[in-house]
Amino acid sequence: MDGQGKEGGGAGSEYEVVARAFVDYYYQTFDTNRAALATLYGNTSMLSFEGHLVAGAEGIGLKLAQLPFEQCRHSICTIDCQPTPSFPGGILVFVSGNLQLGGEEHQLRFSQMFQLVPNQQGSFFVQNDIFRLNYG
């Protein structure tokens, strides 16, 4: 992908297609049914949310469900992805965008990184997830 979330020059690679589909699904689900995100994580998954580390699908699901806002809407600005040789078939995905919280006037800028790893069912799960708001 070209850093703008668009594939450049010809058909995109398989990892780019997977990364784009994942990002679309993740943020649509986050904005409409946050509790359902827990199924995207595994027992060994880790989330770093604004510096707070949470481990395991259950703990991550609980953390996401307990965020102190009811409604939000993400708009994605960029998606960058790379295959990861250290996890054969894995994909590193970096996302930047804006987050609009319900009842708030201003959008917040954010960055998020996902390490997607193949699972035994032939799909992917989120092994690592790092989220940060971007201030300034």
Side-chain angles (χ1 to χ4, degrees), residues 7-124:
E7 300 165 45
S13 68
E14 183 177 339
Y15 72 87
E16 290 173 332
V17 172
V18 169
R20 172 52 106 180
F22 169 79
V23 167
D24 289 346
Y25 178 80
Y26 181 90
Y27 292 106
Q28 179 182 357
T29 303
F30 193 107
D31 294 351
T32 59
N33 184 16
R34 207 177 323 155
L37 291 174
T39 63
L40 298 177
Y41 298 88
N43 293 334
T44 62
S45 296
M46 298 185 78
L47 166 67
S48 177
F49 191 91
E50 287 292 298
H52 299 275
L53 188 61
V54 182
E58 187 176 333
I60 293 169
L62 189 60
K63 171 68 175 175
L64 295 174
Q66 292 179 343
L67 291 174
F69 51 86
E70 292 286 321
Q71 298 177 332
C72 68
R73 190 183 89 249
H74 290 85
S75 60
I76 304 308
C77 296
T78 64
I79 302 170
D80 294 294
C81 60
Q82 299 175 356
T84 55
S86 58
F87 280 107
I91 305 168
L92 186 66
V93 183
F94 182 80
V95 179
S96 67
N98 297 302
L99 173 61
Q100 181 74 50
L101 299 178
E104 295 291 326
E105 181 179 341
H106 300 288
Q107 293 185 346
L108 302 169
R109 293 189 305 187
F110 75 93
S111 297
Q112 192 161 11
M113 186 282 306
F114 301 96
Q115 173 73 51
L116 305 180
V117 176
N119 63 21
Q120 294 178 345
Q121 292 76 34
S123 188
F124 291 85

